[in-house]
Amino acid sequence: MIDFHTHPFMIKELTEMDNNLARNIKKVFGFYFPPQPLKVFLLELETSGIDRAVILPIDCTTSYGCTLVSNIQIAELTEKYQCFIGFASIDPKTKNAPQKLEKDIKELGLKGLKLDPSLQQFDINDKNLTFPVYQVCQELDIPVMIHCGLSWAPRGLEKYAFPLGIEEVAQAFPKLKIIIPHFGWPWYQESIMLAMKFKNIYLDTSIIFSGTPKEVLQHVLCDLIGMNVLERNLHFQILFGSNYPRADIRRSVRGINSLQMSTSLREHIFSLNAEKLLKLEK
Amino acid sequence: MKFNLKQITFVTTKETEFINITDNVKEFVKISGLENGFVLVMSKHTTTAIIVNEGLPDLESDIAKQLEHLAPNDMPYYRHSRFLHSDGQMAINSSSHIRGALLGFEVIFPINNGQMIVGNRQTIYFVELDGPQERTYVIQAMGE
């Protein structure tokens, strides 16, 4: 099983080496609990039955003068621990962002790109700023996760996190694989509409706003959207994500397992869709 | 009156876990050198517990199962099931807090003639109720 949405931000080994990182994670991303040893993250995966986790950094160089874990730190974690799959982050507003992305993907062995328009503060469909970055992703055939929906980060601006801008991106880059995390909540209707229209748009299940994962997943996926819609239309485009450590992985896995769905859909959500998207060997 | 205090930090490995800390407490009493007094064992967390029971795996399993029965994971009436701004995390562990409250967070034993007085079948457990996590418990010996 693969967790497609984790942030390695509260790892004691990283924050103890870098006071600025600890300060920026608190100030920009809004984590105020004590960092935990890396071993806790690894055990959390193990106890949840998760074999591999995508770890996501966020480069906020121009918006807040910091990176929330660097691409090099991500690469060091993935080199040391096979359970981690590293994504890069670049700031589209920095000079030579496309070139930096290409270099980091090729040299650091990272498998995708994470963008957070709400924290990095750019328009998803800004042709001058973002399209060269998407072009690199399409050429390298790596997926890009573009944060949409509620950002719990105190410095995040929701006006940049509305998913509809992705439509122009999907039209301009028909081979680009795009992940909308959190089902774009509260804009889940726009998000599923995009995913139903474009087969290369994926949705991750890290929906967190109220209640336990079991409750919130039941509410959004079953009561509001309808499991039949997912079974029929989005069988191959849904990815399991927890958003750890905003929510724990154990309860997020239990949340998916509590839903009434076909065995096939469950397998695709937990493993098969992510394996295919990341071109992982079984 | 003398006071000796030790904090022990470690990483738990499971969501619910019973960790036998009896020898740690006895050893601390021994090296504290107190002849008469008390020893207190306290957890520093709200989703763990310190308990005394007979040190048997079947009882550990029964207590864990009964706790699940008394405080189930997801109940619609739980209010502690929301985003906690002071942490930046979802607070979705009400059941762990309730289990901790049911078990209690500290135990105390007398020290007499340099020995901790403890029943033959009494085992002191640190109980993890929301692991894996890094945890700390405190042992304090007080006396003369």
Side-chain angles (χ1 to χ4, degrees), chain A residues 218-276:
Chain A
Q218 171 71 34
H219 175 61
V220 176
L221 301 188
C222 300
D223 302 342
L224 295 177
I225 297 174
M227 191 53 73
N228 273 349
V229 175
L230 307 186
E231 291 272 7
R232 292 167 180 162
N233 303 282
L234 298 169
H235 209 99
F236 306 105
Q237 292 161 264
I238 305 173
L239 307 163
F240 169 72
S242 66
N243 203 4
Y244 177 84
R246 288 243 192 252
D248 59 77
I249 302 170
R250 290 166 278 134
R251 291 182 174 91
S252 301
V253 168
R254 284 205 289 267
I256 292 291
N257 278 330
S258 71
L259 304 180
Q260 292 269 330
M261 67 175 82
S262 67
T263 304
S264 170
L265 180 58
R266 201 181 309 281
E267 286 173 357
H268 279 82
I269 290 174
F270 274 132
S271 307
L272 301 177
N273 292 338
E275 284 171 3
K276 190 175 177 189

Side-chain angles (χ1 to χ4, degrees), chain A residues 182-215:
Chain A
H182 323 300
F183 263 68
W185 192 93
W187 301 302
Y188 64 91
Q189 290 178 325
E190 289 81 358
S191 301
I192 63 166
M193 181 268 287
L194 289 171
M196 288 168 73
K197 183 171 175 180
F198 299 98
K199 289 297 172 195
N200 51 338
I201 292 183
Y202 295 76
L203 304 165
D204 92 28
T205 62
S206 60
I207 308 164
I208 54 172
F209 63 96
S210 177
T212 61
K214 178 182 174 182
E215 291 167 333

Side-chain angles (χ1 to χ4, degrees), chain A residues 22-84:
Chain A
R23 192 165 47 246
N24 288 326
I25 286 169
K26 190 178 281 190
K27 186 178 78 178
V28 177
F29 205 69
F31 278 153
Y32 308 108
F33 55 92
Q36 293 270 312
L38 175 61
K39 186 179 175 186
V40 170
F41 191 171
L42 300 172
L43 286 164
E44 176 75 14
L45 294 171
E46 189 181 314
T47 55
S48 308
I50 296 291
D51 305 302
R52 304 193 75 180
V54 173
I55 50 175
L56 305 165
I58 305 174
D59 183 342
C60 302
T61 300
T62 54
S63 53
Y64 294 109
C66 64
T67 55
L68 302 179
V69 180
S70 69
N71 291 348
I72 290 174
Q73 286 171 313
I74 291 286
E76 285 170 353
L77 285 169
T78 58
E79 277 169 28
K80 203 166 178 185
Y81 301 96
Q82 280 204 330
C83 60
F84 292 139

Side-chain angles (χ1 to χ4, degrees), chain B residues 70-86:
Chain B
L70 292 168
N73 284 326
D74 298 89
M75 295 305 284
Y77 55 78
Y78 286 163
R79 289 185 59 198
H80 184 75
S81 193
R82 61 187 174 89
F83 189 75
L84 192 61
H85 287 83
S86 55

